Amino acid sequence: MRLVFLGPPGAGKGTQAVMLSERRGILHLSTGDILRENVKRRTEIGKKAKSFMEKGELVPDDMVIEMMIETIKTGNKDKGFILDGFPRTLYQAKKIDGELEGLNLPIDTVFYFKTSIDIVIFRLTGRRLCKDCGANYHIKNMPPKKEDVCDKCGGELYQRKDDSEETIKKRLEVYNSQTEELIGYYRGKGILKELSGDLDADVVYEEIFGILKKDL
Ligand code: AP5
């Protein structure tokens, strides 16, 4: 099972990818997480990506494509993989399609998380993450049991730099101008499944699971 999770920032792509990966053992590859890890470790990729990410802009295509091809090639793909937040431009989509076809691993389903703008802004401004294990919370929707402390590992929670209202607006602009056209691209290939990202996380999961269950 080889999936792409496509949708605006805050649509819940990462949340669903983690649920599916933890429950079904599918490899979860988030470009955002991989880039943030590179920034943290101050790698060459991280140094180049940092300023783009902080401004809410896309990191240059070729850098992201190369990084993802390498990650896909080296990961354990026995049960398939989920590409979360990648591809994000038509150029990335065409490039990765060519590469994956060459590896005999074409994408079989693309989930498009259709989500309202006010919900996206509410979710992202309230998102908190664990510094140690990366677990994801929302101060109102999915609060930790103890304020600013991770339920899973006791680590400290923090807010992503690009989750300020101003940068969220920029990320949405970038999504509308550069990523939205992928909906038509994948619809044309007949592999797009549309779902409402506005619904509760468990409801969204059930919908995804319902579509995939014959192959899980
Ligand atoms: P990335 O990390 O991919 O950010 P994003 O796409 O903007 O997506 P988010 O992680 O913000 O949202 P999400 O849909 O995963 O939502 P989540 O599940 O966390 O990218 C960051 C940056 O990296 C980019 O701006 C760019 O610079 C660079 N980059 C990444 N990929 C790139 C690429 N391919 N090319 C070039 N540059 C790239 O949920 C959000 C919040 O809502 C959480 O608090 C969660 O708890 C809550 N929540 C989730 N689902 C629900 C629900 N159903 N109901 C209620 N609350 C919910």
Side-chain angles (χ1 to χ4, degrees):
M1 179 167 308
R2 294 172 297 274
L3 313 173
V4 167
F5 282 6
L6 173 69
K13 307 179 297 291
T15 301
Q16 295 300 324
V18 168
M19 287 166 85
L20 195 57
S21 160
E22 285 180 356
R23 295 177 194 185
R24 295 284 147 176
I26 303 172
L27 181 66
H28 171 202
L29 300 174
S30 154
T31 357
D33 288 350
I34 299 168
L35 287 167
R36 277 185 290 280
E37 186 56 31
N38 274 280
V39 171
K40 199 165 144 192
R41 289 194 284 114
R42 296 198 171 86
T43 65
E44 279 314 303
I45 290 180
K47 283 182 208 161
K48 287 182 191 150
K50 189 170 186 281
S51 66
F52 293 101
M53 295 174 77
E54 287 179 353
K55 285 186 275 182
E57 292 169 3
L58 293 184
V59 172
D61 278 340
D62 287 326
M63 207 169 110
V64 176
I65 293 165
E66 198 185 321
M67 178 185 89
M68 289 309 277
I69 291 171
E70 198 46 39
T71 314
I72 293 169
K73 278 186 179 162
T74 53
N76 177 355
K77 302 174 284 297
D78 291 353
K79 295 203 171 166
F81 55 78
I82 308 163
L83 301 181
D84 162 13
F86 178 81
R88 240 164 157 115
T89 61
L90 203 50
Y91 181 76
Q92 290 182 13
K94 289 183 175 170
K95 273 273 186 194
I96 198 68
D97 274 354
E99 286 287 336
L100 291 176
E101 268 150 34
L103 295 168
N104 211 14
L105 297 170
I107 299 294
D108 31 64
T109 309
V110 176
F111 285 101
Y112 163 43
F113 292 64
K114 198 173 177 189
T115 315
S116 329
I117 292 196
D118 47 346
I119 289 198
V120 159
I121 293 175
F122 169 77
R123 284 186 188 165
L124 293 182
T125 49
R127 171 164 60 185
R128 298 293 181 274
L129 297 154
C130 175
K131 270 190 178 159
D132 297 333
C133 72
N136 190 332
Y137 297 88
H138 187 278
I139 50 172
K140 297 234 166 67
N141 286 344
M142 303 181 195
K145 291 189 184 106
K146 194 172 166 203
E147 200 180 337
D148 292 334
V149 178
C150 178
D151 293 346
K152 293 188 181 165
C153 75
E156 190 190 335
L157 302 188
Y158 75 101
Q159 183 170 28
R160 259 169 57 174
K161 267 196 181 152
D162 60 350
D163 278 347
S164 69
E165 207 159 330
E166 194 189 333
T167 313
I168 293 167
K169 285 190 180 137
K170 176 69 192 172
R171 285 159 65 197
L172 281 166
E173 252 175 62
V174 168
Y175 172 79
N176 291 332
S177 63
Q178 299 188 61
T179 309
E180 216 169 33
E181 61 183 335
L182 293 186
I183 299 164
Y185 173 72
Y186 286 120
R187 189 175 284 132
K189 285 179 160 260
I191 56 171
L192 190 83
K193 303 275 181 205
E194 207 169 300
L195 43 88
S196 170
D198 288 353
L199 302 174
D200 278 355
D202 288 336
V203 178
V204 179
Y205 183 81
E206 284 310 316
E207 204 172 323
I208 294 174
F209 185 73
I211 291 168
L212 298 177
K213 73 177 170 215
K214 62 176 188 336
D215 302 315
L216 282 166

